[in-house]
Amino acid sequence: MAIDYYKLLRVNPDANAEELKKAYKKLAFKWHPDKNPGHDRVEAEDKFKQISEAYDVLTDARKRQIYDFYGHQYASFKHRDAREVFADLFGDDSKAMENRLECSLEELYSGSKREIMISRTVVRQSGKVRKIEETFVVTIVPGWKKGTKITFPKKGNQEPGMAPSDLIFVVHEKPHALYEREGNDLVVKQSISLLDALTGKTLSLTTLDGRNLTIPVTDIVHPGYVVVIPDEGMPMSKEPTKKGNLKIKFDVKFPSRLSAEQKYEVMKVLIGS
């Protein structure tokens, strides 16, 4: 059976690209299968396929020329999937709604719960789009890393004729004043005087969960020296009973100058050792 693509889209044969787009948009939203559940879905899928086929042909200059010359019954085209045509024009209805979840290192160490209010669009039964605000509870698991994603299926934005997208929170780590994270390890950069490097020093650190950590340094500290304290790093989210290490990286501060007498005393100590 011959199909009149122009009549199908309700446009004139000389319709331009903008008129075709406007006509297709109106009909595609009306007949999109996701908007016509139940017993109406079969008819909607057929209509949606036909109007997408018509739009695909009439917006392609070569196909349209062939169609106009030979007509539908003689013009043979390889048609794209109807949803692909729709997605090319209006975007993929599965595109997620992503939000940054800024987390302190303390939260990622101990875990926490956040209540986050999100503004999103939904479609009423009438087809009208409205904006709503909704609160989501996000449980932050100890040990989560930057880039971890928390997904709330079908809780993102919705457009007419499309299923709601997913809502995704993506973890981002806030910089910490003392600690840096390296995978599951925590790193502290500690400056130390030459005197302390040679004679020893006791360090005091406050952990991310508020404990006081006393670390005696008795070895001679050379530039690049690292003290490793097992099980004082970040928790491992997939192995909650395990933690990484705490690494203290030393930077030895040398004096800017020494008097002749001081140099002599240092030489006596070093030669004597």
Side-chain angles (χ1 to χ4, degrees):
M1 184 180 70
I3 299 176
D4 187 332
Y5 285 154
Y6 294 105
K7 183 178 286 187
L8 195 62
L9 292 179
R10 301 173 188 174
V11 295
N12 295 322
D14 59 352
N16 59 32
E18 192 58 37
E19 291 170 331
L20 289 169
K21 179 179 177 180
K22 185 177 179 181
Y24 173 71
K25 180 178 180 179
K26 181 178 179 180
L27 292 168
F29 284 161
K30 177 181 178 180
W31 292 108
H32 197 289
D34 289 345
K35 200 180 175 187
N36 293 272
H39 66 279
D40 295 328
R41 190 176 181 89
V42 175
E43 180 188 3
E45 285 180 344
D46 186 54
K47 290 277 190 182
F48 186 67
K49 181 180 178 181
Q50 287 183 12
I51 59 177
S52 297
E53 178 183 307
Y55 181 77
D56 189 39
V57 170
L58 297 182
T59 53
D60 183 301
R62 186 186 64 83
K63 290 181 181 178
R64 184 172 181 174
Q65 187 178 28
I66 295 171
Y67 173 79
D68 287 344
F69 189 81
Y70 292 104
H72 181 273
Q73 62 269 47
Y74 298 110
S76 178
F77 304 111
K78 183 179 180 181
H79 298 294
R80 293 188 297 158
D81 180 80
R83 287 181 181 269
E84 183 184 345
V85 175
F86 185 88
D88 278 354
L89 188 58
F90 303 112
D92 186 354
D93 62 356
S94 64
K95 186 177 180 182
M97 176 181 172
E98 288 196 357
N99 289 268
R100 288 171 66 101
L101 182 62
E102 299 284 352
C103 299
S104 67
L105 209 49
E106 286 85 353
E107 285 181 293
L108 295 173
Y109 183 91
S110 300
S112 70
K113 278 191 177 181
R114 291 268 203 94
E115 291 189 356
I116 304 170
M117 183 172 287
I118 294 294
S119 178
R120 63 192 185 97
T121 56
V122 297
V123 180
R124 293 178 171 177
Q125 286 189 343
S126 63
K128 290 186 177 180
V129 177
R130 69 185 184 101
K131 187 166 283 191
I132 63 169
E133 290 187 339
E134 190 171 349
T135 301
F136 296 88
V137 177
V138 178
T139 301
I140 299 168
V141 176
W144 270 359
K145 297 177 181 177
K146 178 182 177 181
T148 299
K149 294 184 177 183
I150 309 99
T151 302
F152 291 84
K154 306 300 182 185
K155 288 295 183 178
N157 287 324
Q158 184 182 17
E159 298 296 334
M162 298 163 66
S165 64
D166 292 341
L167 171 63
I168 298 177
F169 293 98
V170 184
V171 171
H172 287 257
E173 292 180 5
K174 294 180 183 177
H176 195 272
L178 178 62
Y179 294 99
E180 292 181 11
R181 185 175 186 175
E182 291 182 355
N184 293 318
D185 295 335
L186 288 172
V187 175
V188 172
K189 293 179 179 178
Q190 178 70 44
S191 294
I192 189 171
S193 69
L194 179 58
L195 177 63
D196 289 337
L198 295 172
T199 61
K201 181 180 176 69
T202 298
L203 303 178
S204 293
L205 294 176
T206 302
T207 62
L208 291 172
D209 57 350
R211 293 176 291 114
N212 290 320
L213 207 59
T214 301
I215 305 154
V217 181
T218 56
D219 293 339
I220 292 178
V221 176
H222 55 77
Y225 186 78
V226 178
V227 171
V228 178
I229 304 171
D231 301 320
E232 286 293 349
M234 293 295 292
M236 300 181 188
S237 58
K238 295 182 180 178
E239 298 179 84
T241 59
K242 295 184 178 180
K243 290 182 180 178
N245 300 322
L246 171 61
K247 297 178 180 179
I248 303 172
K249 297 183 178 181
F250 287 92
D251 177 24
V252 180
K253 296 296 183 183
F254 288 82
S256 58
R257 58 180 294 276
L258 289 174
S259 66
E261 185 179 349
Q262 288 172 324
K263 289 178 183 179
Y264 176 73
E265 293 297 329
V266 170
M267 287 176 63
K268 278 202 310 181
V269 172
L270 294 178
I271 292 172
S273 63

